[in-house]
Amino acid sequence: MRVSESIVPVSDFKAQASEWLRRVGESGQPLVITQHGKPAGVLLSPQAFDELMAQAHFVASVEEGLADAEAGRLHSHSEVVAEMKRRFRGPSSK
């Protein structure tokens, strides 16, 4: 999709919603929907939405880890290994 074709007024979108959904699904490119000449929403393919959510989750996890490090909430490798062994011992090793 070209950038000029990736922006559509809401009235045009409503009139041809199934066609726009098909285009977005095939191209994977987002569609900006305008209302009164201003951006009002963005239509994404399910795959693009899933990728965006995965990125957001990853960034949030990294930020949480950095905050833990800055607050001194750190554990050595050997402490983590020992805790994992304690938590995930199989039933036969009890």
Side-chain angles (χ1 to χ4, degrees):
M1 231 182 232
R2 299 167 126 190
V3 173
S4 62
E5 296 172 352
S6 299
I7 301 171
V8 62
V10 70
S11 58
D12 291 352
F13 176 77
K14 288 177 8 182
Q16 298 176 343
S18 62
E19 175 63 18
W20 286 111
L21 288 168
R22 184 190 63 73
R23 286 185 191 184
V24 168
E26 288 177 359
S27 72
Q29 296 298 311
L31 177 68
V32 177
I33 302 167
T34 63
Q35 193 168 34
H36 306 295
K38 296 181 182 176
V42 177
L43 179 66
L44 299 172
S45 69
Q47 180 181 355
F49 179 79
D50 288 344
E51 291 170 4
L52 186 61
M53 295 309 296
Q55 277 184 329
H57 179 71
F58 176 78
V59 170
S61 296
V62 169
E63 288 174 345
E64 184 179 347
L66 291 172
D68 283 345
E70 289 173 3
R73 295 184 296 263
L74 301 173
H75 300 281
S76 70
H77 177 74
S78 59
E79 289 173 319
V80 172
V81 169
E83 179 63 16
M84 296 299 283
K85 285 180 180 178
R86 185 188 70 75
R87 286 190 186 195
F88 299 107
R89 251 186 284 187
S92 61
S93 56
K94 286 184 178 180

